[in-house]
Amino acid sequence: MENEILDMDILRMPTPEETIVAKILDWVVSAKPDQNKVATIVFKKDTPAEIFRLYKKNFNLIPFPSHFEYVVEK
């Protein structure tokens, strides 16, 4: 009997946008929502400048409502 290929057997490669978001979110410590449920992103203390540039350039890719401004962990 031949094995049937199921949808779960085929893995999808991440899109370039998903890769960018994953790089950014690797450096996020938290996303604290305000009273309007819009998050302020808190980055790790030693976050590289490249990640901040990616965040600013690709802010529209963040998958939840967030402020453009961010905070760096102390």
Side-chain angles (χ1 to χ4, degrees), residues 19-35:
T19 302
I20 291 169
V21 170
K23 283 182 186 179
I24 294 168
L25 294 181
D26 278 346
W27 290 94
V28 171
V29 174
S30 68
K32 298 178 181 179
D34 61 14
Q35 67 274 11

Side-chain angles (χ1 to χ4, degrees), residues 15-69:
T15 65
E17 292 83 8
E18 290 170 333
T19 302
I20 291 169
V21 170
K23 283 182 186 179
I24 294 168
L25 294 181
D26 278 346
W27 290 94
V28 171
V29 174
S30 68
K32 298 178 181 179
D34 61 14
Q35 67 274 11
N36 297 322
K37 298 183 181 177
V38 179
T40 298
I41 305 291
V42 180
F43 284 97
K44 293 177 185 176
K45 183 178 179 181
D46 298 325
T47 302
E50 173 193 350
I51 300 301
F52 297 128
R53 284 192 296 272
L54 274 176
Y55 176 77
K56 289 177 182 177
K57 185 177 177 184
N58 299 286
F59 173 74
N60 61 322
L61 298 178
I62 302 300
F64 48 85
S66 58
H67 296 287
F68 182 72
E69 298 81 22

